Amino acid sequence: MKKLLNVLYITSPEAYLSLEGETIVIKKEENISMRIPLLNLENIVCFNYMGISPALMGACADRGIGVCFLSPHGHFLGRISGKVHGNVLLRKKQYFTSENQTEAVAIASSFLIGKIVNSRKVIDRFVRDHSLLVDTESINKASYELKEILKEIKNCSSISDLMGFEGSAAKIYFKNFDQFILQQKEDFYFTERSRRPPLDNLNALLSFLYTLLTFEISSALETVGLDPYVGFLHQDRPGRPSLALDLMEELRPVFVDRLALSLINRKQITGKGFMAKENGGVIMDDDTRKIVLTAWQDRKKEEIIHPFIKERVVFGLIPYIQALLLARFLRGDLDAYPPFFWS
């Protein structure tokens, strides 16, 4: 259980919530583990299967406290809200902002700045930890080039220009990605990013993890009342969660790329767990997928000090915090959207 920014996160699958007067009672195996006043709560986000009592759901609806249900793995299940709820106003603001070039560029720039800063952090840390095993000159050059792109982004006035810089930054970043593979080079190598379908083992691993992150962020956006399908950086397309893809940009390097490299370099997965299909695409077998999913869930349990709210949180809550910060910015509660910067 964790209370952040007036949002109560229930992360224990076995927890059950009930109402006692004006207080939420949280029980685990019939034992009371926590009591929290309803006063000042804005939302309750439940990652638990046990659920909450009807009395508490009713009390939350009466007080305008949103209740969101997700599976323990982060898949959005549903939301409860009262008669009057701010989601419609929030979404109207989101739609209006997405159509306003100036405002959309400002938000999209923040997503992209977060991505490039975190990409530099990943490669700089890799050089620091493995300087004798990589071409430090090449990687340091890439870090410098990414830094120069950051300066250009601040002067962008159109989404098309931002997407151009995003493409350039991705090309620079992935140009050295093969150097970060220190083990199993014959089975895991990187030449370029391939998506539909992924054409090698590493791209198959990255695509699977990016898909997990997209689902996670879509759920986070749903919990705060935002529409995952209307974005600012990525263009709207039927069935495409554009806003989830926007928010994912700043989290990709930290959530996915580091985990993929760790799984390979620690030999937690091997090339035997990947299969090539007739169309040339590569997929993981069931056993490898289970290993990756376990590592994904374990990584989400790691703790970090969030750079903006200055509180200790688990990695798994970062998408929900960023979604909440984005919603607060759109409501006018924050002067700007603060991207997540890994430290």
Side-chain angles (χ1 to χ4, degrees):
M1 282 73 74
K2 186 74 173 177
K3 184 173 177 290
L4 298 166
L5 299 171
N6 295 328
V7 178
L8 175 63
Y9 295 92
I10 306 299
T11 55
S12 300
E14 67 276 14
Y16 181 77
L17 283 68
S18 60
L19 182 67
E20 188 176 284
E22 293 292 312
T23 301
I24 298 174
V25 177
I26 303 172
K27 292 183 178 180
K28 294 172 65 175
E29 298 179 352
E30 299 303 318
N31 296 316
I32 296 176
S33 62
M34 189 177 297
R35 296 176 184 270
I36 297 177
L38 279 173
L39 183 67
N40 295 328
L41 269 186
E42 293 181 3
N43 284 286
I44 301 173
V45 179
C46 299
F47 292 82
N48 57 328
Y49 279 136
M50 298 296 290
I52 74 175
S53 71
L56 178 54
M57 285 189 280
C60 289
D62 286 342
R63 293 161 175 78
I65 301 171
V67 182
C68 298
F69 296 97
L70 301 96
S71 75
H73 295 297
H75 295 294
F76 181 78
L77 301 175
R79 181 193 305 112
I80 295 173
S81 59
K83 296 179 181 179
V84 179
H85 201 272
N87 286 350
V88 63
L89 299 179
L90 175 61
R91 292 204 176 197
K92 285 180 70 174
K93 176 63 175 178
Q94 177 188 354
Y95 301 151
F96 173 81
T97 303
S98 71
E99 298 295 329
N100 184 303
Q101 173 91 338
T102 301
E103 293 189 29
V105 166
I107 299 176
S109 296
S110 294
F111 294 140
L112 196 49
I113 288 171
K115 176 182 181 176
I116 295 176
V117 168
N118 289 332
S119 296
R120 291 189 68 226
K121 185 70 71 171
V122 168
I123 63 179
D124 289 347
R125 182 167 291 190
F126 209 90
V127 169
R128 184 197 69 186
D129 294 342
H130 306 284
S131 60
L132 298 179
L133 301 175
V134 297
D135 181 353
T136 57
E137 183 178 351
S138 173
I139 297 175
N140 286 334
K141 179 183 177 183
S143 180
Y144 173 78
E145 290 173 346
L146 290 174
K147 184 178 179 180
E148 291 301 301
I149 290 178
L150 283 173
K151 298 177 182 178
E152 298 293 334
I153 289 174
K154 296 177 182 179
N155 299 319
C156 272
S157 58
S158 71
I159 296 298
S160 60
D161 286 346
L162 282 178
M163 290 302 294
F165 284 121
E166 190 277 333
S168 298
K171 186 176 181 180
I172 293 168
Y173 175 69
F174 280 118
K175 182 180 179 181
N176 288 280
F177 206 71
D178 190 64
Q179 290 200 61
F180 303 151
I181 304 165
L182 305 178
Q183 303 290 337
Q184 309 184 83
K185 294 286 285 190
E186 67 283 358
D187 292 320
F188 297 96
Y189 50 84
F190 191 87
T191 53
E192 62 180 356
R193 182 79 179 100
S194 57
R195 298 171 178 82
R196 290 179 288 273
L199 300 177
D200 55 59
N201 295 348
L202 180 52
N203 271 294
L205 176 60
L206 289 173
S207 291
F208 181 68
L209 288 169
Y210 286 146
T211 298
L212 293 179
L213 183 56
T214 302
F215 285 143
E216 199 88 27
I217 294 173
S218 294
S219 294
L221 293 167
E222 289 273 14
T223 64
V224 300
L226 288 169
D227 187 341
Y229 292 88
V230 178
F232 306 105
L233 179 64
H234 292 84
Q235 292 183 343
D236 298 337
R237 294 178 187 171
R240 181 186 192 181
S242 296
L243 185 57
L245 296 177
D246 286 356
L247 190 55
M248 184 171 74
E249 293 295 344
E250 66 194 67
L251 301 181
R252 281 176 190 259
V254 181
F255 270 76
V256 171
D257 300 348
R258 289 180 63 244
L259 178 58
L261 292 170
S262 177
L263 285 166
I264 295 167
N265 289 333
R266 294 180 180 178
K267 298 183 179 181
Q268 293 173 265
I269 58 173
T270 66
K272 295 179 180 178
F274 294 78
M275 302 173 291
K277 300 191 295 183
E278 293 182 359
N279 66 351
V282 176
I283 60 173
M284 288 184 284
D285 63 23
D286 289 342
D287 289 340
T288 300
R289 191 176 295 111
K290 290 176 183 176
I291 293 171
V292 174
L293 285 170
T294 299
W296 173 259
Q297 292 301 117
D298 288 343
R299 178 59 59 88
K300 285 162 56 178
K301 297 175 184 175
E302 294 179 8
E303 293 190 341
I304 188 174
I305 302 294
H306 191 282
F308 184 77
I309 66 173
K310 307 298 182 183
E311 290 195 43
R312 182 173 294 278
V313 300
V314 293
F315 253 99
L317 289 184
I318 291 173
Y320 297 88
I321 296 170
Q322 294 307 121
L324 182 59
L325 293 173
L326 177 59
R328 292 194 170 187
F329 165 66
L330 289 171
R331 287 194 177 104
D333 298 332
L334 294 174
D335 293 332
Y337 166 72
F340 173 77
F341 294 129
W342 182 49
S343 59

